[in-house]
Amino acid sequence: MLELQLNRVDYLKTISSIPTKCMRLLSRENVKKDTQKLALGESNGSVQLFSIRKKDTSTIFKTAPGKRINRIELGGRLGEIPDRIFVAAENEVKGYSKKGKQFYAFDTNINEPIRCMSILGSSLYTCTETTYTHYIESKETDTVTFAAKMNDIVVLPLPIQAMPVVACQDRLLRPLHKSSVLYDAEVPGIPTTLILSNKNGGPTKSEVVYGTSDGRLGQLEIGSISANSKWEIANPKHLSGISAIDFYDILADGVPDMIVAREDGTVEVYNFETTDEPVLKFTFNGTESITNIEGGVVGNPNYDELICCTYQGWIFGLTTQPLQNDLGGEVVTAQNDDLKNRIDDLKNEIDELQRRLMVARERYQDVIKSDTRALSTIREFRVNDRFELNRDDATYNLMIESEIPIDNVLLQCDVILDVLDVEKNSAVMSFSDCDPRDNNAVLVTYRCQMNTTRLEMHVRTIEGHYGTLQLYITSKIQPRCSMLRRHTIKPLSLHQRSSSAIDPNKRMNTMKITGSFSYAEIHSWIQFCLADVPERPPIEKENRLVYTNIFLQTQLECIYKQDEAIFRSENVSTISILKDVMSKKATEKKITLDISYELSNETIAITLGQILPMIAHYKTLTDKYNLIEPLQELVMDGSSDNILTPEYRQVLANAESIREQHKQTPVHLNRLCSMVADLFIDKHKFEGTNVKAKIPTLFEKLNTSFTQPQIFIDFFNSL
């Protein structure tokens, strides 16, 4: 068992935030004496290269602010050490030598900014949100336009011809050959970052490691016809998404270790010492989102370390150098008079800066009051936020991160949903009463503690209820200002795009819609209902989309073209929601629709077969939870637990685990029972019968007969 002890050393703080993949370590010229230089690209457009020796930073060059930087890559001639710095800023690519001389400037003439790029020899590969382009010596050779957004790209250095692989928002990796897609390789989550295995593609030069937005890791071997999954790491602890991956032998065992950084500040080190699958060896828990991580030698030429960069611009190292009473990256003693003097000088400097800040604020206020023409200027600050569906627990992960400390966040939504707090949050969460006349269904306030820059929330939606979730983020800067972020709650919010084919023999409910609508109109209606639908309809005259309800595992198929759309699903409620939304959209456009149905009673049993076992699980869990306290009182009087049955002894032994699982049980039960009620109402609504008066009887059966599916099937079919 290998052991690893890493100590944190802070180096510097940049002026603005550092986006993902905008930090690179240059190779050392003298391995024994030199440390590695660090290249950074800031969101304000500044590029800088510096070196660190004993925590003293030496800037080699720094450019003036300009267009926002989205990517930094190292390049050079094939076979040589890549020591040239290439920067993607908006739609331009610039190249700098390690002495700061700009030797390359290329305007791609693309309207969208470059999101990610890769460089291999004289080839430049760029990706905007939807367009991939390959340039050779700055001349365009290949281009592909995708319906889904692209998040990252790597290039496999194959012997005959390099193969680019792009990671797309629809949970697919797509290997490319010239201007065509070879095939789609599905991964379990939205891939946010890609890296070549061992940074060189592994033994076959065709292995890729990916990280997803819901915290999963995996490796694929990319073939010419299909991809082969080598290993996959799930995320049972519901950790944050993967923001950066690197390979570096930090354990010094001769095998490159996999270094993983997460959005919540967690750093993990995985080792491959005894198996082809990674084994977790080290975890560091930080507080700020890490956007970049690389292994190297930076602070001391004799010690390896992991260099981390946070979204706020903090650069720090996790070093193998043993440090006690750490200050300045050196081993010091408490009796060191020089150390005490340095601390006193720093305190005095901080006090003087605070005093000057107060004087400047007072002068500013005086000017504002005395001059009626004076205007307060609001400082711009960037907020990084994401709202994504987590397939593990069928909730939406809502993440907010700001460059500067957050004072409070107001969450407002016009539809009913559950907002769940996250234990790692330090903010105080409070709910407010809502007045429906103000178009408010949910109002939640987060009051943040000092220096809070990141918040996470979990949101549980209800299918059929759709609207807009708004976040008002107030910073601590003066004068006070708020930033507004909006996220759409889709009608079918629990459906996730899938590439799996639907079994042609599966019993499905079918709805066919015909009318005088265009291809673009029906596409926009489906886009309103479902996530991950391309912004523009594909060039083919007919399109087919497949979705999976991640909570019930039912499937939905959409086949549509001009004047006709067909929807198929096992769940009658899914068809009912689509019918209501399509009818509303057509009414707004004054389009007459002809809607026909073909319903299957067998699908009711299939859907109930998904829901009732979950209800039984939570009902049983509730019964066990209610037994814990009486059983504990029974054995507290000195009685041995031998008087209990094995089942009751097991309840006592697992009391803590049962209490933990029971925390969300009432919410889950209400959600599941509501789904059964909706299924009951929707089935009979298609048959022209109003059964709302029968709902109390249905809930009574759910309380007494949840383990007997046939009773419910008979009840559904009895009317």
Side-chain angles (χ1 to χ4, degrees):
M1 177 73 178
L2 295 172
E3 295 183 358
L4 182 63
Q5 179 66 43
L6 299 179
N7 302 290
R8 174 166 175 163
V9 181
D10 291 324
Y11 290 127
L12 61 93
K13 169 74 168 64
T14 59
I15 295 176
S16 60
S17 61
I18 307 294
T20 56
K21 296 207 171 181
C22 285
M23 181 192 80
R24 295 303 304 265
L25 289 176
L26 275 67
S27 300
R28 292 189 288 176
E29 295 178 358
N30 188 322
V31 176
K32 294 183 178 180
K33 296 182 179 181
D34 291 344
T35 55
Q36 290 179 265
K37 297 178 178 65
L38 190 66
L40 280 180
E42 300 183 44
S43 58
N44 67 356
S46 176
V47 182
Q48 61 176 312
L49 180 69
F50 57 87
S51 61
I52 300 171
R53 178 63 71 106
K54 296 183 179 180
K55 207 181 180 183
D56 292 330
T57 303
S58 299
T59 301
I60 299 170
F61 75 86
K62 184 175 182 179
T63 66
K67 296 181 179 179
R68 178 181 172 85
I69 294 173
N70 292 322
R71 193 67 170 252
I72 280 188
E73 289 290 337
L74 300 180
R77 293 187 177 91
L78 288 175
E80 296 182 0
I81 296 175
D83 58 355
R84 297 187 177 187
I85 304 165
F86 290 88
V87 177
E90 295 293 340
N91 59 352
E92 296 180 350
V93 178
K94 298 179 181 179
Y96 297 90
S97 69
K98 56 186 178 181
K99 293 184 179 180
K101 181 181 178 181
Q102 182 178 335
F103 65 88
Y104 181 74
F106 175 53
D107 188 343
T108 61
N109 291 320
I110 301 175
N111 294 329
E112 298 177 349
I114 297 171
R115 285 171 58 90
C116 48
M117 74 173 181
S118 185
I119 293 173
L120 186 64
S122 60
S123 289
L124 168 65
Y125 305 84
T126 66
C127 296
T128 64
E129 279 198 349
T130 56
T131 304
Y132 154 84
T133 311
H134 175 207
Y135 303 91
I136 298 179
E137 295 182 352
S138 303
K139 295 181 180 179
E140 181 180 321
T141 57
D142 307 307
T143 185
V144 183
T145 300
F146 294 94
K149 295 180 181 179
M150 290 177 282
N151 295 328
D152 204 359
I153 182 173
V154 293
V155 180
L156 301 175
L158 299 178
I160 300 176
Q161 184 176 6
M163 179 190 293
V165 180
V166 294
C168 297
Q169 189 74 13
D170 55 1
R171 298 190 301 113
L172 295 175
L173 301 188
R174 292 183 166 96
L176 307 177
H177 176 68
K178 295 186 177 181
S179 295
S180 61
V181 178
L182 293 177
Y183 55 86
D184 296 338
E186 185 173 0
V187 294
I190 298 173
T192 53
T193 183
L194 298 177
I195 187 172
L196 297 176
S197 182
N198 292 342
K199 299 179 90 168
N200 59 9
T204 62
K205 305 298 181 185
S206 61
E207 295 175 356
V208 173
V209 174
Y210 62 84
T212 68
S213 62
D214 57 357
R216 299 167 185 265
L217 290 160
Q219 185 187 70
L220 291 178
E221 185 172 3
I222 306 296
S224 58
I225 300 175
S226 63
N228 177 34
S229 177
K230 306 287 286 186
W231 51 261
E232 181 183 318
I233 301 176
N235 187 18
K237 296 182 179 180
H238 304 297
L239 300 175
S240 295
I242 308 298
S243 55
I245 306 174
D246 191 36
F247 282 88
Y248 187 76
D249 186 15
I250 192 68
L251 287 168
D253 62 347
V255 179
D257 306 299
M258 185 171 67
I259 317 300
V260 176
R262 297 181 181 269
E263 292 175 348
D264 60 358
T266 301
V267 175
E268 298 172 326
V269 177
Y270 291 86
N271 183 252
F272 297 82
E273 57 174 327
T274 57
T275 175
D276 292 336
E277 296 187 2
V279 178
L280 182 63
K281 292 295 184 180
F282 173 81
T283 301
F284 168 82
N285 295 313
T287 56
E288 296 178 292
S289 176
I290 296 176
T291 56
N292 298 271
I293 191 168
E294 276 202 64
V297 179
V298 175
N300 190 314
N302 300 316
Y303 293 95
D304 295 320
E305 61 184 296
L306 306 179
I307 297 298
C308 307
C309 175
T310 70
Y311 179 73
Q312 286 74 29
W314 282 105
I315 311 297
F316 68 91
L318 298 175
T319 177
T320 56
Q321 180 179 3
L323 305 175
Q324 298 91 24
N325 300 324
D326 178 38
L327 182 71
E330 297 177 344
V331 178
V332 298
T333 61
Q335 293 79 20
N336 192 330
D337 292 335
D338 292 338
L339 172 61
K340 184 176 182 302
N341 293 334
R342 289 176 64 186
I343 294 175
D344 291 338
D345 291 341
L346 288 173
K347 288 181 178 178
N348 293 334
E349 185 178 351
I350 291 172
D351 292 340
E352 175 62 19
L353 289 173
Q354 289 178 337
R355 186 191 66 79
R356 291 165 58 183
L357 178 62
M358 291 300 296
V359 170
R361 281 181 176 172
E362 291 174 0
R363 189 186 307 120
Y364 171 80
Q365 294 294 337
D366 292 339
V367 172
I368 292 295
K369 292 176 182 178
S370 61
D371 189 349
T372 56
R373 296 173 300 174
L375 295 175
S376 295
T377 58
I378 298 176
R379 175 189 165 187
E380 179 185 358
F381 67 98
R382 290 184 175 86
V383 171
N384 180 27
D385 66 323
R386 194 172 64 246
F387 186 64
E388 290 182 347
L389 183 60
N390 186 344
R391 64 187 302 174
D392 290 333
D393 56 5
T395 63
Y396 277 84
N397 292 342
L398 179 56
M399 186 275 293
I400 306 167
E401 187 155 25
S402 171
E403 285 183 333
I404 57 180
I406 301 170
D407 185 50
N408 62 76
V409 175
L410 172 64
L411 184 150
Q412 180 268 337
C413 191
D414 53 3
V415 294
I416 297 173
L417 47 79
D418 296 320
V419 181
L420 312 177
D421 199 8
V422 178
E423 291 183 3
K424 66 183 73 174
N425 283 346
S426 59
V428 178
M429 178 182 178
S430 57
F431 291 84
S432 301
D433 294 332
C434 299
D435 188 344
R437 292 174 297 181
D438 296 331
N439 201 28
N440 288 331
V442 177
L443 281 176
V444 183
T445 303
Y446 289 85
R447 297 191 304 276
C448 301
Q449 296 183 8
M450 189 67 68
N451 296 326
T452 298
T453 57
R454 189 176 189 277
L455 280 178
E456 273 192 51
M457 311 160 207
H458 290 172
V459 176
R460 183 178 290 120
T461 61
I462 302 172
E463 287 207 324
H465 297 263
Y466 54 95
T468 303
L469 182 143
Q470 299 189 124
L471 298 166
Y472 297 87
I473 305 159
T474 305
S475 68
K476 288 186 178 292
I477 59 176
Q478 297 289 342
R480 290 298 178 91
C481 60
S482 288
M483 185 171 289
L484 175 61
R485 286 288 189 268
R486 289 189 176 96
H487 298 281
T488 302
I489 309 293
K490 301 280 187 178
L492 295 177
S493 55
L494 298 181
H495 279 71
Q496 192 175 71
R497 183 86 175 266
S498 172
S499 61
S500 302
I502 294 180
D503 186 352
N505 298 319
K506 181 185 288 188
R507 299 296 297 175
M508 304 284 275
N509 304 294
T510 303
M511 176 176 68
K512 183 177 181 180
I513 298 176
T514 57
S516 56
F517 48 80
S518 66
Y519 187 28
E521 282 176 328
I522 186 64
H523 179 84
S524 67
W525 297 350
I526 293 173
Q527 185 184 48
F528 181 83
C529 295
L530 293 158
D532 297 330
V533 177
E535 293 184 5
R536 297 181 295 272
I539 57 176
E540 293 83 4
K541 294 183 179 180
E542 182 177 281
N543 193 26
R544 176 181 176 273
L545 299 173
V546 177
Y547 282 79
T548 300
N549 184 314
I550 62 172
F551 192 66
L552 299 179
Q553 301 305 313
T554 57
Q555 290 181 296
L556 167 67
E557 183 180 48
C558 310
I559 304 172
Y560 59 96
K561 58 184 178 180
Q562 182 177 342
D563 299 335
E564 182 182 286
I566 298 173
F567 302 94
R568 302 172 62 239
S569 175
E570 308 106 294
N571 192 344
V572 173
S573 294
T574 300
I575 298 295
S576 177
I577 292 169
L578 284 169
K579 170 186 171 292
D580 293 342
V581 175
M582 297 291 169
S583 299
K584 183 178 179 180
K585 289 294 183 182
T587 302
E588 292 174 356
K589 293 281 188 178
K590 297 182 180 180
I591 298 174
T592 302
L593 297 182
D594 182 14
I595 304 177
S596 59
Y597 319 99
E598 185 180 333
L599 304 182
S600 170
N601 284 331
E602 293 180 25
T603 62
I604 300 297
I606 294 172
T607 307
L608 287 173
Q610 296 284 354
I611 302 175
L612 292 178
M614 288 190 281
I615 293 178
H617 168 75
Y618 288 116
K619 290 278 190 182
T620 304
L621 187 63
T622 301
D623 293 340
K624 290 181 179 180
Y625 174 80
N626 294 332
L627 283 171
I628 291 175
E629 191 170 337
L631 290 175
Q632 288 179 337
E633 291 179 358
L634 188 63
V635 298
M636 279 177 62
D637 62 357
S639 303
S640 170
D641 61 358
N642 291 331
I643 64 173
L644 304 177
T645 64
E647 180 185 355
Y648 289 160
R649 285 201 296 270
Q650 188 176 15
V651 171
L652 274 182
N654 300 320
E656 290 302 319
S657 174
I658 293 172
R659 284 194 180 101
E660 187 65 28
Q661 294 178 54
H662 183 265
K663 286 181 179 179
Q664 295 298 325
T665 292
V667 177
H668 286 307
L669 273 176
N670 290 336
R671 190 183 194 185
L672 290 164
C673 292
S674 296
M675 286 182 176
V676 175
D678 290 341
L679 184 67
F680 182 64
I681 293 171
D682 292 334
K683 174 186 182 297
H684 291 91
K685 183 170 69 173
F686 280 115
E687 297 173 353
T689 307
N690 189 339
V691 294
K692 290 186 177 180
K694 298 288 185 179
I695 295 300
T697 306
L698 177 64
F699 279 124
E700 183 179 339
K701 291 183 179 296
L702 284 171
N703 286 326
T704 57
S705 307
F706 53 85
T707 58
Q708 303 174 49
Q710 191 59 44
I711 291 178
F712 288 93
I713 295 172
D714 295 340
F715 182 73
F716 269 64
N717 296 326
S718 62
L719 299 180

